[in-house]
Amino acid sequence: MGMGGQGYGNREVVSPRRSERKVFPAWAKEIPECEKHYEVSKGSGLRSEDVERRRMIYGYNDLEKHEGQSIWSLVLDQFNDTLVRILLAAAVVSFVLAWYGGQKGTDKMTPFVEPLVIFLILIVNAIVGVWQESNAEKALEALKEIQSEHATVIRDGMKIHNLPARELLPGDVVELRVGDTVPADMRVLQLISSTLRIEQGSLTGESEAVNKSHKAVPEDTDIQGKRCMVFAGTTVVNGHCICLVTQTGMETEIGKVHDQIQEASQSGEDTPLKKKLNQFGETLTLIIGLICAVVWLINVKYFLTWEYVNGWPRNFRFSFEKCTYYFEIAVALAVAAIPEGLPAVITTCLALGTREMAKKNALVRKLPSVETLGCTTVICSDKTGTLTTNQMAVAKLVAMGSTADRLRTFKVDGTTFNPFDGKIQDWLTGGMDANLQMIAKIAAICNDAGISESEHKFVSNGIPTEAALKVLVEKMGLPEGFQKRSTSGSDLLRCCRRWNEYEPRIATLEFDRDRKSMGVIVNSRSGKKSLLVKGAVENVLERSTKMQLVDGSVLQLDQKTRKLILDALDKMSTGALRCLGFAYKDELHEFETYDGNEDHPAHVLLLDPSNYSSIERDLIFVGLVGLRDPPREEVNQAIKDCRAAGIRVMVITGDNKNTAEAICREIGVFGPNEDISSKSITGKEFMDLRDPKAHLRQSGGLLFSRAEPGHKQEIVRLLKEDGEVVAMTGDGVNDAPALKLADIGIAMGIAGTEVAKEASDMVLADDNFSTIVAAVGEGRSIYNNMKAFIRYMISSNMGEVASIFLTAALGIPEGLIPVQLLWVNLVTDGPPATALGFNPPDKDIMKKPPRRSDDSLINAWILFRYLVIGLYVGIATVGIFIIWYTQGSFLGIDISGDGHTLVSYAQLSTWGQCSSWENFTASPFTAGSQVFSFDNPCDYFQDGKVKAMTLSLSVLVAIEMFNSLNALSEDGSLLTMPPWVNPWLLLAMSVSFSLHFLILYVPFLARVFGIVPLSFNEWLLVLAVALPVILIDEILKFVGRCTSGSQAAQASNRRTAIKPKSE
C-alpha cells in the first residue's frame, strides 16, 4: 500500500481503487468490533495524528471526475460514418477539380459552389453531434450535487461543526440531525432520539422513509436490509444519532452508482435507424464503386486509345482533359447517389416529433430517442411514482360495529393528497357516531404531517402516511356542532385544525421501532387528560384490553373480537395495504394534573422512551385503516395497450415483494388468478439464476422486487443482448446507470432526481406510465413517416444515378452537373421529404407488434419498385435531353420555336468527334432574353446544351415532386389516400417548384446553376414526361397489394388445413 504514491509526480494523495481494498462489513459487526477495526472510540473520534495518515490511504471524500472525450476526438467521431465519409471524399475531389478547372475557366466561383456546400453540411452535422455528445457527462456532475457539503464531526474528543464533507475519512465519528444530508456511508453507533428515519428511496427505490437502528444484520443482507447503515446522499427525516464513517468517495454506494453510470455511458450503441443508415451507406459505397468502374470502362475509349502492331497494342494516346471530364462524371455520380439532404430531413422530422411528444408530456432530451421509441419491445418500469401516484392514500377504514362480533368496513376513494379527491363510500348521512369521531380525532391529533398546494399539486409536509391520515379526516368531515366554529374555507386541513383546537396536544410519545406506535396526551373536553395512540395494528391490539362500539360504549376486548380484527388485518395486508390501528385511554393517573410544565413530576416519564410502552397499556381499541401508494387510474389501460402493441412490461422496484405483486395484479401486469411463482422474484434471486436469459424470455409481464442498481443494469444488459429494444424508467440515483445503459432511458420530471434526468433520453413531465405508451405510439408514427421520406429520397437518388449512368453509357453530353444534383438533393427534395413527416398515423398503429430493430428499411419488393421508378427517372431525364437535340416536336408539343439546330442521335452520341464532321454548322437559338451563337460549331454540344440541361433538371424536379405523392403510403393507392390527407406535402411541393422557378428566372442564380428560362411549350413537355411516374407506381402498388393478399390467403388456408389435425 505504501508504494502506491510512487510515480505520480506532484499528486499528494493516492487512493487505491475499490478492487484493491477489502471491504470491512461493518453492518454485520457489533459496535465494539467496528470501533476496534477503525481504531476509534465513539466519544473521542479520530486523533489528529491519524487524519493525515488516513488521508494518504483513503484520499478525499469526493467522487472522481472522469476525463471525457476531448473536443477534437468528438469532432473526429462525427466523421466515423460511411455516408459522411463518402460525402467528404466527393467534396475533396470536387474541390480539386474546381481548383484545376478554375485556373482555365472564366467563371472562377461557380465550380466551388458544390464542394463548399458539401463542406458546410459536414460542418453543421459535426457541430450538432459534438453538442449532443458533450452533454452526456452531465449525469455525473448532477450526482456530485446531491452530496453533503458539511458535517458535524468528533475529533480529539471535541465536536467540530461544519467540517467540509470532502475531508471526512473512514473512522470519523459524525453526528446527524433532522434535515441533514448523509455525507458518507456510515455505521449507526447510537440513537440519541428514540427513532431514526432515513429517506433513501432515491438510492434504493423504497417508497417510504426507513427506520434505522444500531443492531447488526447478516453479512449477505441486501442494501435495503442494512438497517444499521446510512448511505451518502440520503436524508435524515426524523431523529438524531451518532455514526461511524465506513466508506468515503468512490467506495460509497453512490460512488458505485457513479462508476456504473460511467460504464454505461461508454457502452452506448447506435440507434436502430443509425445502424440501418450505416448499412445502407456501406451498400451505397459498394454500388457507387461498381457503377463508377463501369462508367470508366464504358468511356475509356474516349481518353485512352492505341493501335495494334503485330497483334500487340502500341502507340498509346492519353487525353488528360477527357479523363478529367469522365472523372467529373464519376464525382457527379457519387453526388447523385448520396442523399445529402437526408441528415437534415431526419433531424427536422425528429425535432417536429419532439414537439408532438412534448404536447403529450414526454420531453425528449436526445433526438434519436424519438425513432428508437418506435421499436421498443420491452418497457422496464419502476413501480413507485410511475405505475403508482407516489402519494399515500387511505383505501379502507375499518371501525367497530354495534356489537362485539361485528366490524364496519368503508372503502375510501382518492389516490392523492388532495382532500377533495374522492369520498368515503356508504358514509353515514346522519353525522358521525362516537366510534368514528374517536378515529377521526386520533388521526388528526396524533399526527405531525401537513398538506400544502404547490404548482397545482397537493404535496405532503412530513411523513406521507401521516399526511394520508389527515386527508382521511377531511373526507370524514366534522361531527355536528363543529361546523359553526370552523376556520376559513380556504384552509385545506380545516377539520384537522378544528380537532386540534378542540383537544389540544400537551405531550408527544415519539414513535420507536420497538413498540411501533406513536402517542399524544391531550386535554380532553371532559377535563381529563387523554392518550391517543396510532401504530402497527398487532402492537396496538396487543396493548389494548377494551374496545369502543358504535355508540361510544366500552366493552372488554375478548379473543373472538381480537381474531375478528386480526382476520380483517390479514385480508387488508394480503391486498398490499399498510395497516395502522387506533386506540385511546382516558385514565392517566400520573398525568391528571400535567400541563406540559417541565417541573411536573410526570414530565420525567416522558424523557425516557423506555417508559412509553408502560404508559401505552390498557388501551381502548377503536379501529384501523389500510393505506397504500395507489396505482394511477390510467395505468391499467396503458398496460392493455402495451399488450396489444406486443410490448412486454417488466416492473423493477426496490419495494417489498408482496406490495409489488398486489399492485402488479391490480394494474394488469399479472392476471387476478395467474400463477406468478416463476414470474415474480427478487433482484438477488435473479442474480443467482443459472440461466437468467431464459427467465427474461418468459411471455407476459415480469416483476423484480428488492432490486438494487446493479440488478437493474444486469437486466437491461441481458435484454439488449437478446435483441430487445429496452425502455427503462426511473427517478432515483439508483436508476441512473440502467437509464444510461437502456436504449431509451426515461426519467420522472416531478419526482426524479437531477441525476436520473441527466442520464435519461426522455423526461416525463407528469411522471405517468401512460405517457410512455403514448410516446411509443408517436415514435412508431414518426418512424413510419421517416421510412416514407427515406424511401422517397433514395428512390429519387436512384433516378439521378440512372440518369448519369445512361448519359455515360450512351456517350451523349453530360445532362446534369454536380451543383444541379446537389441543389435537387438538398433544397428541392428537402421540403417534400420533411412534409412526409406529417403523414397522419395509422389508426391501428398500436395494434401491431413492434418492428425488430434489425428490420430492413427497404425489402426486396420495395427495392425492385424503386429500381423501376429510378430507371424511369433516368430514361425521362436523358430522354428529354435527347428529344431537344433530335426532335422538333414530341407528343404533339412543338419545341422548335427557339430556333435550335436538330442533329441525329448518331451525331449526338459521337459528339466528341464533331471536329471531324464535314459541313456541320450550329444555328443561334434563344432562351428567354438570351441568344446563344457559336463560333465553333462543336461548342453546340457543350455551351449549347444549356437548354437541354434545363429541361433535364426540370423533368427531374417535376418527377421527384410527383414521386413524393407516391410516398404518402407504402402500398395504398392515391385513390384511397389522396394528396390532401397531408396538406403540408402539397404546400412543400409548391415551395419546391417555387425554388426551382427562382433559379430559372433570376439571372444571377441561373448563371450559377448553368440553366436558362423555359417557354410554355417546354413546360408542357416537362409535365408530359414527368406525370407517368404516378401511373407506373400505382401499377406497382396494385401488384404488391395483390401479391401480399394472395400470400396472406395462402397462409390462412395453411392454418385452416392444419387446424383439424391438431384438434
Side-chain angles (χ1 to χ4, degrees):
M1 195 76 79
M3 296 178 67
Q6 294 180 11
Y8 278 75
N10 295 324
R11 276 184 64 180
E12 296 180 2
V13 178
V14 178
S15 176
R17 297 293 298 167
R18 183 163 49 249
S19 58
E20 298 173 20
R21 185 160 53 233
K22 187 177 179 181
V23 174
F24 175 70
W27 60 90
K29 306 297 183 183
E30 296 300 331
I31 292 171
E33 197 173 347
C34 293
E35 290 179 320
K36 181 180 178 182
H37 176 82
Y38 288 101
E39 301 175 357
V40 294
S41 68
K42 179 177 66 178
S44 59
L46 279 180
R47 298 187 300 271
S48 298
E49 56 266 28
D50 290 336
V51 171
E52 286 309 313
R53 179 175 61 83
R54 295 194 185 203
R55 180 85 64 223
M56 295 301 296
I57 298 172
Y58 297 105
Y60 284 99
N61 180 30
D62 282 332
L63 297 180
E64 285 180 1
K65 182 173 178 61
H66 289 277
E67 289 298 324
Q69 281 185 281
S70 66
I71 291 293
W72 179 241
S73 65
L74 284 174
V75 170
L76 289 178
D77 280 350
Q78 306 314 308
F79 293 88
N80 188 25
D81 179 279
T82 311
L83 276 177
V84 170
R85 286 198 294 264
I86 297 172
L87 265 179
L88 186 62
V92 169
V93 172
S94 296
F95 189 84
V96 172
L97 293 175
W99 183 268
Y100 171 77
Q103 303 300 315
K104 303 184 301 178
T106 53
D107 187 352
K108 296 187 181 293
M109 283 309 297
T110 301
F112 288 98
V113 171
E114 176 199 329
L116 290 176
V117 170
I118 296 177
F119 280 130
L120 183 62
I121 294 167
L122 296 176
I123 290 167
V124 171
N125 182 61
I127 290 170
V128 171
V130 169
W131 176 76
Q132 284 185 335
E133 291 187 30
S134 63
N135 285 335
E137 301 304 312
K138 287 189 176 179
L140 302 178
E141 295 303 315
L143 199 60
K144 296 178 182 179
E145 292 178 8
I146 69 170
Q147 290 181 285
S148 175
E149 293 184 2
H150 299 92
T152 300
V153 184
I154 298 171
R155 285 183 180 173
D156 293 321
M158 298 177 62
K159 191 177 289 187
I160 304 171
H161 295 280
N162 295 323
L163 180 81
R166 74 184 300 267
E167 295 186 14
L168 286 179
L169 293 161
D172 261 323
V173 177
V174 176
E175 182 179 355
L176 291 177
R177 294 177 177 271
V178 175
D180 286 351
T181 298
V182 179
D185 286 5
M186 303 192 286
R187 169 71 158 89
V188 178
L189 297 180
Q190 178 189 357
L191 297 186
I192 298 173
S193 60
S194 58
T195 185
L196 175 67
R197 290 167 68 82
I198 303 290
E199 174 53 66
Q200 59 183 40
S202 64
L203 185 64
T204 64
E206 291 161 293
S207 56
E208 294 184 350
V210 179
N211 286 307
K212 297 290 184 178
S213 74
H214 56 72
K215 295 179 181 176
V217 296
E219 188 171 333
D220 62 350
T221 303
D222 59 19
I223 187 172
Q224 292 96 334
K226 294 177 181 176
R227 299 297 192 189
C228 59
M229 295 289 294
V230 293
F231 302 106
T234 60
T235 308
V236 182
V237 295
N238 179 257
H240 180 193
C241 67
I242 302 294
C243 299
L244 173 68
V245 176
T246 57
Q247 275 88 30
T248 57
M250 294 301 293
E251 296 187 8
T252 61
E253 290 296 331
I254 205 172
K256 294 176 187 176
V257 172
H258 185 281
D259 267 349
Q260 289 164 348
I261 292 175
Q262 177 68 15
E263 182 185 334
S265 65
Q266 291 175 346
S267 63
E269 295 181 3
D270 290 339
T271 66
L273 180 67
K274 192 171 189 330
K275 289 177 184 174
K276 294 188 188 78
L277 290 176
N278 282 341
Q279 291 167 3
F280 167 69
E282 289 164 9
T283 307
L284 191 63
T285 307
L286 183 63
I287 292 170
I288 290 172
L290 287 172
I291 294 177
C292 285
V294 171
V295 169
W296 270 52
L297 287 172
I298 290 172
N299 292 288
V300 71
K301 60 186 179 185
Y302 295 116
F303 57 84
L304 181 63
T305 58
W306 58 86
E307 295 174 357
Y308 284 94
V309 179
N310 299 325
W312 292 93
R314 295 283 189 273
N315 304 327
F316 287 94
R317 287 189 293 275
F318 177 75
S319 170
F320 181 75
E321 187 175 351
K322 287 186 178 179
C323 177
T324 304
Y325 171 75
Y326 287 108
F327 190 67
E328 285 179 343
I329 288 181
V331 172
L333 194 65
V335 172
I338 304 167
E340 291 90 350
L342 192 56
V345 176
I346 287 176
T347 302
T348 304
C349 183
L350 293 176
L352 292 170
T354 63
R355 290 182 60 186
E356 288 301 309
M357 287 186 174
K359 294 175 185 175
K360 298 178 181 178
N361 291 316
L363 311 177
V364 176
R365 297 183 66 249
K366 297 172 185 174
L367 280 184
S369 313
V370 178
E371 177 269 329
T372 312
L373 264 173
C375 55
T376 299
T377 58
V378 176
I379 298 177
C380 295
S381 176
D382 189 20
K383 177 184 74 69
T384 307
T386 310
L387 300 173
T388 64
T389 62
N390 199 23
Q391 299 190 31
M392 293 298 290
V394 176
K396 276 191 180 177
L397 166 61
V398 177
M400 306 308 293
S402 54
T403 59
D405 60 349
R406 291 187 62 191
L407 297 177
R408 297 174 293 163
T409 302
F410 300 93
K411 183 184 176 186
V412 185
D413 295 335
T415 58
T416 67
F417 290 127
N418 181 358
F420 310 106
D421 174 21
K423 60 180 182 177
I424 303 174
Q425 299 290 338
D426 304 319
W427 193 237
L428 307 176
T429 55
M432 285 194 286
D433 53 58
N435 178 239
L436 291 173
Q437 286 185 41
M438 183 57 71
I439 291 174
K441 183 200 300 185
I442 298 170
I445 302 173
C446 188
N447 195 323
D448 292 323
I451 300 286
S452 60
E453 192 172 3
S454 173
E455 297 179 358
H456 308 293
K457 295 183 183 297
F458 293 86
V459 295
S460 67
N461 304 318
I463 298 172
T465 303
E466 292 194 333
L469 292 179
K470 288 208 167 178
V471 172
L472 172 68
V473 174
E474 298 305 310
K475 291 176 181 177
M476 294 174 77
L478 290 168
E480 290 182 4
F482 272 57
Q483 281 88 344
K484 292 179 181 178
R485 298 181 55 194
S486 65
T487 54
S488 67
S490 62
D491 189 351
L492 286 175
L493 301 176
R494 179 176 60 90
C495 301
C496 294
R497 197 94 59 201
R498 202 54 204 92
W499 277 114
N500 278 278
E501 291 171 1
Y502 189 72
E503 295 198 359
R505 185 200 302 195
I506 57 173
T508 301
L509 282 66
E510 288 181 344
F511 176 92
D512 69 47
R513 63 194 175 281
D514 294 322
R515 74 185 209 286
K516 295 183 179 176
S517 62
M518 170 190 177
V520 294
I521 299 173
V522 300
N523 275 322
S524 69
R525 302 297 286 178
S526 62
K528 292 184 175 183
K529 302 294 184 290
S530 292
L531 174 66
L532 310 179
V533 178
K534 77 168 191 302
V537 178
E538 301 97 321
N539 296 60
V540 172
L541 194 61
E542 186 182 337
R543 297 200 299 274
S544 298
T545 55
K546 298 175 183 177
M547 61 181 173
Q548 183 194 51
L549 300 182
V550 171
D551 58 3
S553 59
V554 176
L555 298 180
Q556 204 68 27
L557 184 61
D558 57 23
Q559 288 303 315
K560 185 178 178 183
T561 307
R562 284 182 190 274
K563 185 177 183 306
L564 190 66
I565 294 168
L566 289 172
D567 286 346
L569 169 66
D570 184 59
K571 186 176 179 182
M572 291 163 72
S573 298
T574 306
L577 297 183
R578 184 186 174 197
C579 298
L580 290 176
F582 300 109
Y584 76 101
K585 180 179 178 181
D586 276 337
E587 297 177 4
L588 294 171
H589 301 296
E590 303 95 327
F591 296 93
E592 280 301 326
T593 59
Y594 180 66
D595 58 359
N597 192 326
E598 293 184 5
D599 296 329
H600 193 282
H603 187 74
V604 179
L605 297 172
L606 299 175
L607 297 178
D608 186 358
S610 63
N611 295 323
Y612 293 172
S613 293
S614 59
I615 298 172
E616 292 177 354
R617 67 183 179 190
D618 300 326
L619 300 174
I620 303 168
F621 192 83
V622 295
L624 64 152
V625 294
L627 305 98
R628 64 171 181 165
D629 178 9
R632 294 177 180 271
E633 293 177 1
E634 55 281 343
V635 164
N636 200 294
Q637 183 58 47
I639 298 286
K640 289 179 182 175
D641 291 343
C642 283
R643 194 170 285 117
I647 300 170
R648 291 192 294 152
V649 177
M650 298 182 184
V651 180
I652 308 175
T653 178
D655 233 338
N656 72 70
K657 192 173 183 180
N658 291 339
T659 302
E661 285 180 354
I663 290 291
C664 285
R665 286 191 189 277
E666 187 171 351
I667 62 177
V669 173
F670 301 134
N673 302 310
E674 184 180 350
D675 178 13
I676 58 172
S677 56
S678 64
K679 294 189 172 186
S680 172
I681 59 175
T682 65
K684 190 172 184 298
E685 289 168 347
F686 174 76
M687 298 299 280
D688 293 338
L689 290 175
R690 292 185 64 183
D691 188 0
K693 283 189 179 180
H695 181 82
L696 293 173
R697 290 180 189 131
Q698 294 180 80
S699 60
L702 294 177
L703 169 64
F704 303 90
S705 47
R706 288 294 182 192
E708 296 181 18
H711 302 157
K712 295 183 178 185
Q713 217 172 343
E714 183 67 6
I715 290 168
V716 172
R717 186 184 66 78
L718 291 173
L719 285 169
K720 289 180 70 176
E721 280 183 7
D722 239 12
E724 305 283 3
V725 178
V726 185
M728 170 79 193
T729 76
D731 56 3
V733 174
N734 62 324
D735 297 319
L739 290 176
K740 199 81 172 173
L741 184 62
D743 295 290
I744 297 287
I746 305 171
M748 303 299 110
I750 300 170
T753 59
E754 284 304 310
V755 183
K757 290 176 188 175
E758 292 295 345
S760 70
D761 303 291
M762 190 172 89
V763 177
L764 300 184
D766 56 358
D767 288 12
N768 199 328
F769 180 85
S770 61
T771 301
I772 303 171
V773 181
V776 169
E778 191 68 35
R780 288 187 175 188
S781 174
I782 289 166
Y783 178 76
N784 287 346
N785 292 344
M786 286 171 69
K787 268 178 70 175
F789 68 65
I790 288 170
R791 288 197 308 269
Y792 160 66
M793 295 190 85
I794 290 173
S795 68
S796 299
N797 283 79
M798 283 181 178
E800 294 167 19
V801 170
S803 174
I804 294 170
F805 181 76
L806 286 173
T807 299
L810 297 174
I812 63 176
E814 183 184 20
L816 293 167
I817 58 176
V819 71
Q820 293 170 349
L821 293 171
L822 198 63
W823 171 263
V824 172
N825 288 352
L826 280 176
V827 183
T828 315
D829 283 357
T834 305
L836 287 169
F838 289 97
N839 280 352
D842 297 338
K843 291 180 181 178
D844 61 346
I845 198 160
M846 288 299 282
K847 298 287 190 293
K848 299 175 182 175
R851 72 182 194 277
R852 290 191 59 81
S853 59
D854 57 355
D855 280 355
S856 59
L857 273 172
I858 301 172
N859 59 34
W861 169 247
I862 297 294
L863 180 61
F864 172 76
R865 260 176 58 189
Y866 285 118
L867 283 173
V868 172
I869 295 293
L871 184 60
Y872 178 75
V873 173
I875 291 170
T877 51
V878 172
I880 201 167
F881 187 94
I882 295 171
I883 287 167
W884 186 83
Y885 267 106
T886 62
Q887 304 293 322
S889 67
F890 187 74
L891 297 176
I893 302 169
D894 181 23
I895 53 172
S896 61
D898 58 4
H900 70 278
T901 301
L902 297 180
V903 297
S904 67
Y905 174 73
Q907 288 177 308
L908 184 64
S909 61
T910 56
W911 66 276
Q913 300 170 22
C914 169
S915 56
S916 63
W917 298 346
E918 294 181 5
N919 304 320
F920 176 70
T921 58
S923 305
F925 69 89
T926 59
S929 59
Q930 300 177 67
V931 177
F932 290 84
S933 57
F934 311 97
D935 296 331
N936 179 358
C938 292
D939 289 343
Y940 182 51
F941 298 103
Q942 280 296 309
D943 299 337
K945 68 179 179 179
V946 62
K947 176 69 73 72
M949 279 176 58
T950 305
L951 287 168
S952 287
L953 180 62
S954 298
V955 164
L956 181 63
V957 169
I959 284 184
E960 295 193 0
M961 292 306 100
F962 297 141
N963 194 28
S964 68
L965 296 177
N966 293 331
L968 274 171
S969 173
E970 188 170 318
D971 291 311
S973 167
L974 281 173
L975 298 174
T976 57
M977 186 172 272
W980 49 87
V981 298
N982 186 350
W984 292 104
L985 181 57
L986 298 177
L987 177 64
M989 290 172 64
S990 304
V991 168
S992 290
F993 272 125
S994 300
L995 289 170
H996 185 60
F997 292 149
L998 189 71
I999 64 168
L1000 273 178
Y1001 297 104
V1002 173
F1004 167 73
L1005 294 175
R1007 282 196 303 275
V1008 169
F1009 288 96
I1011 53 179
V1012 292
L1014 296 179
S1015 67
F1016 178 75
N1017 274 14
E1018 287 162 347
W1019 270 114
L1020 285 179
L1021 180 63
V1022 166
L1023 294 176
V1025 172
L1027 275 170
V1029 75
I1030 294 178
L1031 181 61
I1032 293 170
D1033 203 44
E1034 283 291 305
I1035 294 169
L1036 291 170
K1037 284 182 180 179
F1038 176 74
V1039 173
R1041 288 196 299 273
C1042 291
T1043 307
S1044 60
S1046 63
Q1047 287 173 350
Q1050 288 170 11
S1052 176
N1053 291 336
R1054 281 196 300 271
R1055 285 194 297 271
T1056 306
I1058 291 168
K1059 191 175 179 182
K1061 296 178 184 178
S1062 65
E1063 289 173 351

